[in-house]
Amino acid sequence: MTNITFNELLNEHKHLLKDSTYVKVYDFYISGNTDLEKLQGILFHEETDWIYDSSWDKSDRANGKNPMRQEYTDKMNKKGPH
């Protein structure tokens, strides 16, 4: 296994992140923060988007319909597995 620093890993995968996400992750790194749940929230915020569903969104999900815009769904699918 190769030793790689967090900063090297971040810069190697910068092309996968929006600029605003890169800045948030970089700020996380330079602050010395080690809260991995916070880092996961920064990188994969879409995994908790359902928490903010309206009653309409909840109803759609219950009926098997994704309430997210297709553009958003495509963007999140493009991120690939993590």
Side-chain angles (χ1 to χ4, degrees):
M1 177 173 232
T2 304
N3 289 333
I4 187 168
T5 67
F6 184 87
N7 193 41
E8 291 169 334
L9 184 66
L10 177 60
N11 286 322
E12 183 178 326
H13 294 88
K14 182 179 181 178
H15 66 282
L16 299 172
L17 303 172
K18 290 188 336 185
D19 289 342
S20 61
T21 302
Y22 176 83
V23 169
K24 289 177 186 175
V25 173
Y26 185 76
D27 287 346
F28 176 90
Y29 165 70
I30 63 171
S31 73
N33 197 330
T34 58
D35 182 350
L36 296 181
E37 286 184 18
K38 181 176 174 109
L39 179 60
Q40 181 179 10
I42 294 169
L43 290 171
F44 305 107
H45 58 86
E46 67 278 2
E47 291 185 1
T48 56
D49 286 347
W50 62 271
I51 293 172
Y52 305 105
D53 278 356
S54 68
S55 58
W56 291 99
D57 294 339
K58 289 177 186 174
S59 175
D60 282 347
R61 286 189 199 279
N63 292 319
K65 181 180 175 196
N66 185 351
M68 303 308 228
R69 291 186 331 271
Q70 188 60 49
E71 298 85 19
Y72 180 82
T73 301
D74 293 343
K75 179 180 167 184
M76 293 304 108
N77 288 339
K78 193 174 182 181
K79 283 179 89 169
H82 48 277

